[in-house]
Amino acid sequence: MSPHIGNENQQPGASSAPTRRRGQVELRRDQAKSMQSDRYLLDSEEETPFTKTDPWRVLRIQSEFVEGFGTLSELGRAISVFGSARTPRDSPYYAVGEEVGRLLVEAGYAVITGGGPGAMEAANKGACEAGGMSVGLGIELPFEQGMNEWVDLGINFRYFFARKTMFVKYAQGFVVLPGGFGTLDELFEAMTLVQTQKVTSFPIVLIGTQFWGPLWDWVRNTLLANGMISEKDLSLVHLVDDPAEAVRLVLADTAAHSGP
């Protein structure tokens, strides 16, 4: 299956046309090659007039927060599930993602993902087929992923930091399947937020001991050994293989720290 899910509904002969979303705007062909909003913001040329660009970006950023807050404020209990967009449908981890989505819904939780293909699609599919709320938070990228077909409630973002806020603000924990840089980014940011007490009682469970084990060995044998983190920081994360155990752990931690 092609990762460019957003192109599936194009007319015959146009399937190879590049397509990319910029917030609510869909760009195709040459327009899809334009610079991403995050890059405009973070990689500005010195000669770019500040008064003609950044104030408008502030308003656009504000609108993304308003849209996200307004849409998700009544979501209820939810868990964010992360994992690679490149996970194929015949991968064992895809099946694990489906099971995680199903089990979370059966426990009364909504499922939030990045809305793309791969592991994200798997978790959304499990949640949707179980009759629960399946949420996707998409992002503008240089290649189009599109919102997978199992998303019931989808929001497309221009800016990573606005999107990342929604993953944490409206979830009570993270379940993390194997993934690449994007997954690692979300994982380490969540760990940092808990470590620095920016958020509290936020359980994080990694699924796939063979996949995550070498990374966690490095955390223990290099970061901890060199005094870069403390012993208690190792308890921020659980490593498991069984999806039922992952859901049990993330929900147990959530329940243990929930208010009366």
Side-chain angles (χ1 to χ4, degrees):
M1 172 188 168
S2 168
H4 304 293
I5 291 179
N7 292 338
E8 287 183 347
N9 294 324
Q10 291 182 354
Q11 295 298 317
S15 60
S16 61
T19 302
R20 177 160 60 84
R21 285 188 178 275
R22 177 183 290 162
Q24 297 302 311
V25 178
E26 184 167 310
L27 306 172
R28 292 182 178 173
R29 287 172 281 279
D30 288 345
Q31 291 297 312
K33 300 174 184 178
S34 60
M35 194 180 297
Q36 298 175 71
S37 299
D38 264 331
R39 185 173 172 185
Y40 272 119
L41 178 67
L42 302 174
D43 194 27
S44 297
E45 299 290 339
E46 289 186 3
E47 63 268 19
T48 301
F50 175 85
T51 56
K52 293 185 179 179
T53 56
D54 287 348
W56 289 107
R57 291 194 187 117
V58 170
L59 294 175
R60 185 177 288 159
I61 291 165
Q62 179 182 352
S63 73
E64 291 212 338
F65 281 107
V66 170
E67 186 72 26
F69 292 159
T71 302
L72 299 175
S73 60
E74 298 181 0
L75 181 62
R77 299 186 302 174
I79 299 294
S80 290
V81 180
F82 294 99
S84 177
R86 305 184 187 193
T87 302
R89 288 178 173 173
D90 59 358
S91 166
Y93 288 123
Y94 189 98
V96 168
E98 286 188 78
E99 182 72 358
V100 167
R102 180 183 68 81
L103 291 171
L104 287 171
V105 164
E106 290 178 352
Y109 284 74
V111 171
I112 304 173
T113 80
M120 296 175 282
E121 176 187 285
N124 285 134
K125 180 181 179 183
C128 184
E129 290 186 335
M133 175 59 76
S134 176
V135 179
L137 307 180
I139 184 68
E140 176 188 1
L141 293 172
F143 48 89
E144 172 68 6
Q145 290 184 325
M147 205 70 73
N148 71 68
E149 63 180 308
W150 301 101
V151 169
D152 296 317
L153 177 63
I155 309 173
N156 285 296
F157 291 86
R158 293 171 180 258
Y159 301 101
F160 266 116
F161 54 85
R163 177 188 188 231
K164 288 160 76 173
T165 298
M166 305 305 155
F167 280 129
V168 176
K169 179 172 177 59
Y170 292 103
Q172 282 72 56
F174 281 177
V175 174
V176 188
L177 294 157
F181 287 157
T183 302
L184 290 170
D185 177 46
E186 297 290 355
L187 168 61
F188 278 95
E189 179 169 35
M191 290 167 56
T192 302
L193 291 172
V194 177
Q195 180 198 48
T196 57
Q197 300 181 23
K198 298 297 184 182
V199 297
T200 58
S201 64
F202 198 85
I204 304 167
V205 181
L206 307 183
I207 300 182
T209 55
Q210 185 175 5
F211 183 90
W212 295 110
L215 173 65
W216 209 242
D217 288 342
W218 176 80
V219 169
R220 180 182 294 104
N221 298 329
T222 301
L223 297 186
L224 180 63
N226 285 277
M228 304 299 176
I229 62 172
S230 64
E231 182 73 34
K232 68 177 182 179
D233 292 332
L234 296 177
S235 65
L236 296 178
V237 173
H238 304 283
L239 272 71
V240 302
D241 286 307
D242 179 40
E245 178 70 0
V247 171
R248 185 191 70 78
L249 284 169
V250 75
L251 298 189
D253 279 7
T254 299
H257 294 91
S258 61

